[in-house]
Amino acid sequence: MRKILFTILLSFAFAFAYQDLNSKAFYEMIQKEKNVIILDVRTPQEYEKDGHIPGSILIPVQVLPQYIRELEKFKDKKILVYCRSGNRSAAASRFLEQNGFKNVYNLKYGIIDWKRNNLPVEYGMKK
């Protein structure tokens, strides 16, 4: 019985290991921590036309598995993940954790909430 309970608790802990942050806490982490990776997992069209968080890297969630080897050099850094509403970024956060990333943070309610709080946004594609 103890073994079953331990297994259930352990799987629950891994299922929700990444941390959700509201937009203000997400922004504070970007400001406070100088060595973070900001990962935008939306489409290129959303990134360009709807705006993006300054300094973010665009890797759409659909192709994230293809970039996992390139991202491995960031395993020791904090990875801040966002999308439009927080759903795709939650899936991306789970994927990153399943691949060994330990410091993953999801922007709860996505860039919608970020913009609602008048936080900085850039438009267009990076050159």
Side-chain angles (χ1 to χ4, degrees):
M1 183 65 165
R2 285 185 184 171
K3 188 175 183 180
I4 293 171
L5 182 58
F6 178 76
T7 303
I8 290 170
L9 290 174
L10 189 61
S11 64
F12 183 79
F14 281 117
F16 300 99
Y18 69 86
Q19 186 176 349
D20 280 326
L21 298 177
N22 65 33
S23 57
K24 290 180 181 178
F26 203 84
Y27 180 71
E28 287 173 11
M29 187 174 287
I30 292 169
Q31 297 302 304
K32 189 171 62 172
E33 305 279 338
K34 298 300 178 199
N35 210 7
V36 297
I37 303 301
I38 309 166
L39 183 60
D40 186 323
V41 295
R42 298 174 299 154
T43 66
Q45 294 80 13
E46 289 173 301
Y47 183 88
E48 181 178 11
K49 292 191 174 33
D50 294 337
H52 53 272
I53 296 173
S56 61
I57 299 167
L58 174 66
I59 303 178
V61 70
Q62 299 88 340
V63 298
L64 188 58
Q66 297 170 19
Y67 288 87
I68 199 67
R69 285 188 184 255
E70 292 176 41
L71 290 171
E72 292 210 357
K73 62 186 170 193
F74 302 124
K75 275 193 174 179
D76 62 331
K77 299 179 191 263
K78 291 184 178 179
I79 310 264
L80 284 66
V81 187
Y82 76 97
C83 65
R84 181 179 174 275
S85 66
N87 292 322
R88 287 175 282 179
S89 57
S93 295
R94 280 190 298 275
F95 174 78
L96 289 170
E97 287 193 330
Q98 290 168 353
N99 283 278
F101 292 83
K102 303 293 183 208
N103 299 305
V104 181
Y105 300 86
N106 176 51
L107 177 57
K108 190 174 184 179
Y109 308 121
I111 200 162
I112 291 172
D113 190 58
W114 181 271
K115 289 164 110 177
R116 187 178 299 131
N117 284 288
N118 296 312
L119 294 168
V121 176
E122 293 179 337
Y123 291 87
M125 293 298 276
K126 290 182 182 179
K127 304 287 183 217

